[in-house]
Amino acid sequence: MNTADLGLPVDVPSTALFTDQYELTMVQAALKGGTAGRRSVFEVFTRRLPDGRRYGVVAGTGRVLDAVENFRFDAGVLGFLREREIVDAETLDWLADYRFTGDIWGYPEGEVYFPGSPILRVEGSFAECVLLETVILSILNHDSAIAAAASRMSSAAGDRPLIEMGARRTHELSAVAAARAAYVGGFASTSDLAAGFRYHIPTVGTSAHAFTLLHDRERDAFQAQVDSMGRGTTLLVDTYDVTEAVRTAVEIAGPELGAVRIDSGDLLLVAHRVRQQLDELGAHDTKIIVTSDLDEYAIASLAAAPVDAYGVGTQLVTGSGHPTSSMVYKLVARAETADPRSPLKAVAKKSTGGKTSVGGRKWAARRLDSYGVAEAEVVGTGAVPTELADRQLLVELVKGGEVVGREPLDAARDRHAAVRANLPLSATQLSRGEPVLPTEYV
């Protein structure tokens, strides 16, 4: 089922206005100057990783493909542009027929990246490519930041599952995208039903403190929940006294109680006490879930605690201190004409302040050491060296305007787990450090 058919806010009829005004005014000027049709190559990359991070995670690729398909200037959108006099009549006529007809190559979703990695390469006429800049960057910058935080958290959690619970901490549409990116980065489920509906991510959730406070006694709340959801439910035990709540929970649900959730206090200490109490009560299989402003460092600090799962909200949906990936979308090559046979000329911005870039249409490959572990990100503009031919990273996503690289979300999730495992061991250290792989230009 297409969620757009139901009118839900997780989909929009057009992505054409998810852009900055200067994208359209550039098109107008290029049409007037006769350069709009020049064959061009744009690339998405970042000049640096967030301070202290060892690797980045590509996320949002599937959403980018959806956005490109839905980038259409319908009557309502054109009417808005006409009313505001944002572009002239000639440009409005051109926009009315807009369809991206070029090619897009990129790192597959779930792959890792480093400074200078050509994460996405967009090829076509200048006008049709430049229009996609803002929407592509808004998706990749947000989703990749969330996925990177999720990856660090899932690495710290080890085999213990993570639950995404950040919907109430961010914009309602960002929450859906964040749940998707977190799943790519290693989270197992989400509390957000829109994300479950849109992307088929497993959803979980039982009750909050409000449900306990609704009742005259905590016992009554627990009994009502067990009667409704069964003995395998999760009971929240820190509304009043944790010790008394655990005792009551097991009295009502018996040793078949699914789990207890702890949402406050010294989680390390409380988890040990709750585990001991559960075992003494015979509830050996009852799991312990902890929440409460967790991040990757808090999760790592609980590695020795008898915790079975973590719920993470605020720190996840804000990128754990780094809510953007600082990706940019730059013209790196262009031809003199629209003729596909016209040779491409490398172009690049020259400036001070660390905003320089490398021109030329690029490929990328990951070189492995003798043990099969990644040792360098190799980026080039010429012929691909023979020894790297089967290690190339970019895959075809759009060909002649048609999406050819869409894949199930689980494929991106599995890819990330495999790719991260192939990085040097220092990649998963939470201490500050440089990118785990150097970027080499050839």
Side-chain angles (χ1 to χ4, degrees), residues 58-67 106-110 119-120 139-140 143-144 180 397 405 407:
V58 178
T61 308
R63 295 208 308 121
V64 165
L65 298 180
D66 293 341
Y107 280 37
E109 192 158 18
I119 297 163
L120 200 73
I139 293 171
L140 293 180
D143 289 22
S144 296
R180 183 187 183 281
L397 300 171
E407 61 182 3

Side-chain angles (χ1 to χ4, degrees), residues 22-342:
Y22 78 171
E23 313 290 13
L24 274 66
T25 53
M26 279 193 287
V27 169
Q28 175 177 306
L31 288 170
K32 183 73 68 176
T35 54
R38 284 188 174 183
R39 189 161 64 96
S40 301
V41 180
F42 287 81
E43 288 177 354
V44 175
F45 62 93
T46 184
R47 296 183 176 97
R48 64 191 66 84
L49 297 180
D51 186 35
R53 294 286 174 89
R54 306 298 181 95
Y55 61 92
V57 181
V58 178
T61 308
R63 295 208 308 121
V64 165
L65 298 180
D66 293 341
V68 171
E69 283 189 327
N70 291 322
F71 206 92
R72 304 284 188 269
F73 293 85
D74 57 28
V77 171
L78 292 170
F80 165 77
L81 298 176
R82 182 179 298 107
E83 178 185 345
R84 296 290 184 93
E85 298 182 347
I86 291 172
V87 291
D88 60 21
E90 178 188 358
T91 306
L92 287 172
D93 290 342
W94 186 89
L95 293 175
D97 295 327
Y98 178 83
R99 299 290 186 274
F100 180 72
T101 63
D103 301 329
I104 299 179
W105 291 71
Y107 280 37
E109 192 158 18
E111 182 59 85
V112 298
Y113 68 87
F114 301 91
S117 296
I119 297 163
L120 200 73
R121 191 176 72 219
V122 183
E123 305 182 33
S125 72
F126 173 83
E128 66 176 337
C129 292
V130 77
L131 281 181
L132 299 176
E133 174 182 7
T134 303
V135 70
I136 285 177
L137 286 180
S138 66
I139 293 171
L140 293 180
N141 269 315
H142 173 269
D143 289 22
S144 296
I146 305 305
S151 178
R152 286 162 60 86
M153 293 174 187
S154 65
S155 177
D159 294 331
R160 297 171 178 176
L162 290 156
I163 306 164
E164 186 280 314
M165 304 172 64
R168 64 192 61 194
R169 301 297 189 221
T170 188
H171 184 278
E172 65 270 20
L173 298 185
S174 296
V176 181
R180 183 187 183 281
Y183 190 69
V184 171
F187 274 58
S189 57
T190 179
S191 66
D192 191 279
L193 291 177
F197 178 79
R198 177 68 179 85
Y199 297 116
H200 308 292
I201 300 169
T203 58
V204 297
T206 51
S207 67
H209 293 105
F211 185 74
T212 299
L213 295 170
L214 170 68
H215 294 79
D216 295 333
R217 299 185 303 166
E218 189 172 51
R219 173 179 294 275
D220 297 336
F222 287 178
Q223 187 66 62
Q225 184 174 329
V226 171
D227 289 347
S228 172
M229 303 179 191
R231 297 176 184 273
T233 190
T234 298
L235 295 176
L236 181 59
V237 295
D238 71 324
T239 304
Y240 303 118
D241 179 82
V242 173
T243 301
E244 180 61 29
V246 171
R247 181 181 302 111
T248 301
V250 176
E251 285 178 4
I252 292 172
E256 297 85 8
L257 175 63
V260 296
R261 178 163 74 94
I262 306 167
D263 189 51
S264 59
D266 183 337
L267 296 179
L268 180 62
L269 175 63
V270 176
H272 276 287
R273 288 178 175 173
V274 168
R275 182 73 270 162
Q276 180 180 353
Q277 185 182 8
L278 287 170
D279 290 343
E280 290 173 350
L281 294 171
H284 302 286
D285 296 327
T286 299
K287 298 183 183 303
I288 297 175
I289 301 171
V290 295
T291 52
S292 185
D293 292 327
L294 298 177
D295 61 10
E296 59 265 49
Y297 302 101
I299 291 169
S301 73
L302 292 168
V307 171
D308 297 287
Y310 306 93
V312 189
T314 303
Q315 291 301 317
L316 175 68
V317 299
T318 57
S320 195
H322 298 288
T324 180
S325 303
S326 299
M327 295 177 186
V328 295
Y329 183 99
K330 297 298 182 183
L331 180 65
V332 296
R334 54 91 173 166
E336 298 289 344
T337 70
D339 189 336
R341 296 168 297 180
S342 180

